[in-house]
Amino acid sequence: MKSNVYVDGFNLYYGCVKGTPYRWLDIAKLCSLLLPSHDINRIRYFTALLDARPDDPQQPQRQQIYLRALQTIPNLSIHYGHFLSNIIRMRLAHPFPNGPQTVEVVKTEEKGSDVNLATYLLVDAFNKDCDVAVIISNDSDLKTPIEFVRSQLGIHVGILNPHQNRSRALYDVTDFYKPIRKGPLGASQFPPTLTDAHGTITKPAIW
């Protein structure tokens, strides 16, 4: 089966990679382990570029190194959204007696990746670019494009779920639904060093 894989990068990271030894993840190897009967036509990776934070100023550099590593995968492309930060006022969950009921916070949201993923999913399905579309995400907002791709365009759709909880909305509209477990993650790590046209890529020492 000719398959395309659509990776929600932040959903994958926060679902099963953050705070683990598995952040140096070779997504192509992961797909080969979890989808052994599939011929992977292309992998589309959706993310946004990070800004430095006071508590983690090296975060953008680590991300850039990882994106370089991903780009050594021949059939992988990276598609970028963006971050949007706003100061908003929100209610306190447990305000002090006679104290303020609300507080101003900086809310940062990643924008565009879910829309980009849905758009490429639909365009590729319309162009018959694959027989099966596999989505690495647990985002229930993808339910409608998945339904359309299956019912109107005749493409099978599966989910590789990076989260412990299962999205009932996605489970009910897909042809298959598999969890991503620690075993395949551990077996799908890039080597500590790789090379590309610009030189050597080295896994960050502290991550």
Side-chain angles (χ1 to χ4, degrees):
M1 293 180 291
K2 185 171 75 168
S3 302
N4 286 357
V5 180
Y6 302 83
V7 184
D8 181 337
F10 286 103
N11 202 279
L12 171 64
Y13 178 78
Y14 287 105
C16 64
V17 176
K18 182 182 179 182
T20 75
Y22 310 130
R23 284 170 284 188
W24 195 233
L25 180 63
D26 181 341
I27 293 175
K29 181 65 179 298
L30 181 68
C31 290
S32 71
L33 293 176
L34 295 179
L35 305 165
S37 63
H38 294 242
D39 177 17
I40 305 300
N41 177 51
R42 70 176 77 251
I43 301 170
R44 297 191 184 275
Y45 184 85
F46 300 88
T47 190
L49 294 177
L50 299 168
D51 292 324
R53 300 185 323 202
D55 61 327
D56 192 357
Q58 299 304 312
Q59 184 174 241
Q61 287 86 344
R62 292 196 304 272
Q63 183 193 35
Q64 288 293 340
I65 292 170
Y66 180 61
L67 294 178
R68 274 186 67 193
L70 285 180
Q71 289 173 308
T72 65
I73 299 172
N75 61 342
L76 183 144
S77 57
I78 300 176
H79 308 271
Y80 292 98
H82 63 279
F83 283 101
L84 183 65
S85 294
N86 291 294
I87 297 175
I88 64 172
R89 183 166 289 278
M90 301 183 71
R91 289 181 59 84
L92 288 167
H94 305 288
F96 290 105
N98 302 317
Q101 301 296 303
T102 63
V103 64
E104 284 191 338
V105 299
V106 177
K107 184 176 182 181
T108 301
E109 298 178 285
E110 193 269 331
K111 295 288 188 180
S113 287
D114 53 352
V115 174
N116 290 343
L117 192 158
T119 300
Y120 277 99
L121 172 67
L122 289 163
V123 170
D124 288 347
F126 182 81
N127 289 330
K128 301 298 182 184
D129 191 56
C130 61
D131 304 309
V132 182
V134 182
I135 300 170
I136 299 182
S137 182
N138 195 37
D139 187 347
S140 60
D141 288 345
L142 296 170
K143 177 184 177 185
T144 297
I146 289 172
E147 288 178 315
F148 186 91
V149 164
R150 292 182 70 215
S151 65
Q152 301 299 314
L153 300 174
I155 302 295
H156 296 289
V157 180
I159 292 288
L160 300 180
N161 179 21
H163 291 260
Q164 292 186 358
N165 62 304
R166 185 173 70 185
S167 169
R168 171 58 66 179
L170 297 185
Y171 181 82
D172 288 342
V173 298
T174 49
D175 294 286
F176 63 88
Y177 196 102
K178 296 181 179 181
I180 300 176
R181 302 192 187 280
K182 291 181 179 180
L185 286 171
S188 301
Q189 300 297 296
F190 283 118
T193 60
L194 306 96
T195 57
D196 63 7
H198 303 287
T200 301
I201 307 166
T202 303
K203 177 182 178 181
I206 300 173
W207 196 0

